[in-house]
DNA sequence: AGGCGTATTTGTCCAGGACAAACAGGCTTT
DNA sequence: AAAGCCTGTTTGTCCTGGACAAATACGCCT
């Protein structure tokens, strides 16, 4: 777990481990691309270890974005930087057309780095729509628009981080407000978390807002929790529902493998609800898939009406 | 980035990629341990790929903990599970003795999974001590105690996650309260974040509380931000200080390499303040190291008195 | 005790071969 | 036209076994 040669001093060239972390391409992938396509073509240090110049790392970052957006590596790895940036752009037109004024406002504030105004705008939207509608409809739209803008190069990574932070702060504030004001809560008790491969915590935060509004006691473990720990936590808290969020950065194999293992190791009476934008997320026996956050409320209602074994949707 | 064989169905055995994520030991390390020490000894599937049984994964998790605590792999890898658990225990006595009553209360609530009471206890401590003292003294003590309890096996991983979540919620609430109530803010503008290898966001959240109380405008990007993005964000937001947090899970090589690169690529007028419990974190030219959060206030004062180039501490 | 040189430990890197899952494209069927 | 099936290609991950540098431990001298 130690990186021996960060070589930050040696003018802007990175070790293979540093590139793996920076671009999210595994060492194996970096080596096999070099072997197959001739790119990247890192220089070597005294001890024949790869050193990636900054411009190649930049191109690798762009390639990663394009591949996440659906391009195939073999078709684009060898192309020039100009062709690639051109490739990243044209998608811009379509989704922008159907963006609401609210979404456009938020994107503009993000690009202008008006942090305080962004906070106020988000907080204002919560007040205007109510926490429920905000969490179920506005926030997911915003997240999707920000993700799309990022993947077409319209938004910097740090701007996306800033958005996540601000939305998290606003949502948490609102949830706390509801919690502090309420007198009691009724089952089902809900445990919220994500699998170790899933770093995004926004999904479970939005879901938590909806569950809290339904009067459910919630326990959030945050993101990246090992599966045995999820099972153990569900037992410890006496949860009746375990809610999991899956974003596009998880593969369907990871999701289904994890869900199967969790189902196997947990009391069958505990329901598993899965949601999110992970492609190929399908319901299996003992696992319910909720297409959107709007499906949570009827699900809770069904649970309370005694159909504890039955899955929603 | 795809995991092909989670094999969650095949009774609780994990692929090498899953074990890497779960235990934090790289594939290379797992293979070299097997070659050198004969442990782990995974079975093989049809295609000769390693499959780690659940009990071996459990032992690997324990080994990782012991190594983080200072043991050497070669001395402990081949020992039995009983010897290892015995090895993990004896550290328990000392730190427990100097725990304050408040810390003990929080640990007890955590172990009892009294989520709501934990929230209330933390929120109560904020009111009692004030946000400043809570963020600078109480919260770091709590975090340290929880980390120690976890590393001696006294606390489950999911209990540590729960603690982090609750403390995050309480701190964020309090920060929001201060922000909503204040009329203006004065430079320096502070950008808070962590390097890509550092997943813990509690450090920057505690620091944000202190900076906000000093009247500084703050921008938090959350954890795990690539270094070029940090530089770019600092420029975009016109930050005068970039504050970074380093926990024990970063190596000093990672920290210093990253700090050197950040310093190289950023306007020299922007100060870099680094803090946290990462061993071997040292001040270099252009980088200040703050031993504790208490050092922030005098640092801000010094900055405002015009010593913009001078480093605190 | 404390500083220093040597020996051992340990994690990461390398090459190049192999294979299964994911994908694209052409075909047939409803 | 949409949905299903087959086939060839693309692509990421895993394998083995060798090598070496950084980190650590140990013995020696002051």
């Amino acid at each position: 777990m130690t990186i021996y040669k960060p070589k930050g001093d040696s003018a802007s060239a990175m070790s293979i481990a540093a590139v793996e972390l920076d671009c999210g391409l595994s060492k194996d992938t970096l080596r096999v691309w070099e072997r197959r396509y001739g790119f990247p073509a890192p220089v070597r240090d005294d001890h024949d270890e790869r050193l990636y110049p900054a411009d190649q790392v930049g191109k690798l970052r762009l390639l990663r974005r394009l591949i996440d957006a659906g391009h195939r590596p073999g078709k684009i790895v060898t192309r020039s930087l100009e062709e690639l940036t051109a490739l990243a752009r044209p998608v811009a037109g379509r989704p922008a057309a159907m963006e609401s004024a609210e979404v456009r406002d938020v994107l503009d504030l993000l690009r202008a780095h008006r942090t305080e105004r962004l906070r106020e705008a988000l907080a204002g939207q919560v007040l205007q729509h109510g926490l429920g509608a905000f969490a179920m409809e506005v926030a997911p739209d915003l997240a999707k628009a920000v993700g799309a803008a990022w993947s077409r190069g319209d938004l910097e990574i740090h701007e996306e981080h800033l958005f996540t932070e601000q939305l998290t702060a606003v949502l948490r504030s609102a949830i706390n407000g509801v919690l502090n004001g309420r007198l009691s809560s009724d089952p089902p008790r809900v445990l919220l978390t994500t699998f170790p491969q899933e770093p995004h915590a926004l999904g479970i935060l939005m879901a938590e807002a909806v569950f809290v509004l339904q009067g459910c006691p919630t326990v959030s473990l945050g993101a990246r929790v090992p599966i045995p720990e999820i099972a153990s936590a569900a037992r410890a808290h006496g949860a009746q529902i375990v809610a999991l969020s899956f974003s596009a950065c998880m593969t369907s194999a990871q999701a289904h493998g994890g869900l199967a293992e969790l189902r196997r190791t947990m009391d069958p009476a505990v329901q598993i609800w899965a949601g999110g934008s992970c492609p190929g997320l399908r319901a299996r026996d003992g696992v319910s898939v909720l297409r959107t956050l709007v499906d949570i409320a009827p699900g809770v209602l069904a649970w309370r009406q005694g159909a504890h074994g039955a899955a929603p949707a």
Side-chain angles (χ1 to χ4, degrees), chain A residues 181-313:
Chain A
R182 92 175 167 194
L183 300 168
S184 69
S185 57
D186 296 312
R189 177 175 291 269
V190 183
L191 184 79
L192 297 116
T193 187
T194 77
F195 284 164
Q197 301 87 359
E198 172 59 66
H200 297 104
L202 263 184
I204 50 174
L205 194 59
M206 297 185 292
E208 186 174 7
V210 179
F211 277 114
V212 164
L213 287 173
Q214 297 297 314
C216 301
T218 58
V219 180
S220 174
L221 297 182
R224 294 179 163 280
V225 178
I227 292 173
E229 289 297 319
I230 299 176
S232 167
R235 207 171 334 109
H237 289 98
Q240 280 102 15
I241 296 173
V242 173
L244 297 158
S245 165
F246 298 85
S247 80
C249 63
M250 282 194 71
T251 67
S252 68
Q254 289 172 331
H256 288 125
L259 285 170
E261 181 171 352
L262 184 61
R263 181 70 287 175
R264 204 167 38 69
T265 54
M266 234 178 18
D267 177 356
V270 180
Q271 296 190 6
I272 299 177
W273 293 12
S277 54
C278 175
L281 194 61
R282 286 184 308 277
R284 302 257 186 146
D285 37 58
V287 178
S288 315
V289 170
L290 281 68
R291 237 180 31 77
T292 76
L293 295 168
V294 178
D295 299 330
I296 289 179
V300 170
L301 196 63
W303 191 95
R304 285 185 176 144
Q305 285 173 350
H308 297 189

Side-chain angles (χ1 to χ4, degrees), chain A residues 107-171:
Chain A
L107 287 179
D108 288 342
L109 288 172
L110 257 184
R111 273 187 285 255
H113 310 110
R114 307 271 307 111
T115 318
E116 293 85 358
R117 282 289 299 119
L118 177 61
R119 282 183 63 77
E120 290 163 18
L122 291 172
Q125 290 183 11
V126 172
L127 288 179
Q128 185 192 333
H129 297 278
L131 177 56
F134 180 79
M136 287 189 286
E137 285 147 31
V138 183
D141 276 0
L142 287 172
K144 209 162 61 182
V146 167
W150 170 76
S151 83
R152 68 178 183 263
D154 227 18
L155 220 54
E156 305 279 331
I157 296 174
H158 68 80
E159 290 163 344
E160 195 195 11
H161 274 256
L162 180 66
F163 167 75
T164 304
E165 276 293 302
Q166 298 294 330
L167 182 53
T168 302
V170 167
L171 274 172

Side-chain angles (χ1 to χ4, degrees), chain A residues 1-130:
Chain A
M1 296 292 92
T2 311
I3 291 180
Y4 285 74
K5 310 205 172 150
K7 294 256 167 127
D9 25 271
S10 131
S12 64
M14 297 165 71
S15 73
I16 193 171
V19 176
E20 170 178 41
L21 285 168
D22 192 307
C23 305
L25 298 165
S26 78
K27 300 186 230 278
D28 272 320
T29 301
L30 289 167
R31 284 192 275 254
V32 91
W33 280 11
E34 183 180 343
R35 199 197 312 167
R36 286 191 187 140
Y37 314 120
F39 182 90
V43 296
R44 300 299 180 114
D45 68 2
D46 332 322
H47 185 51
D48 246 26
E49 297 188 351
R50 292 169 174 81
L51 270 183
Y52 295 83
D55 56 329
Q56 293 195 29
V57 177
K59 186 170 165 188
L60 285 169
R61 271 196 286 261
L62 179 55
L63 283 167
R64 171 66 201 259
R65 280 222 315 257
L66 289 168
I67 288 164
D68 283 344
H71 289 272
R72 311 265 352 235
K75 306 283 180 188
I76 55 174
V77 176
T78 54
R79 298 209 195 168
S80 75
L81 195 59
E82 291 73 32
E83 289 180 286
L84 294 179
T85 43
L87 217 55
R89 205 146 304 276
V91 205
R94 249 177 301 161
M98 47 183 230
E99 275 168 7
S100 73
E102 275 179 332
V103 169
R104 247 197 328 277
D105 278 356
V106 167
L107 287 179
D108 288 342
L109 288 172
L110 257 184
R111 273 187 285 255
H113 310 110
R114 307 271 307 111
T115 318
E116 293 85 358
R117 282 289 299 119
L118 177 61
R119 282 183 63 77
E120 290 163 18
L122 291 172
Q125 290 183 11
V126 172
L127 288 179
Q128 185 192 333
H129 297 278

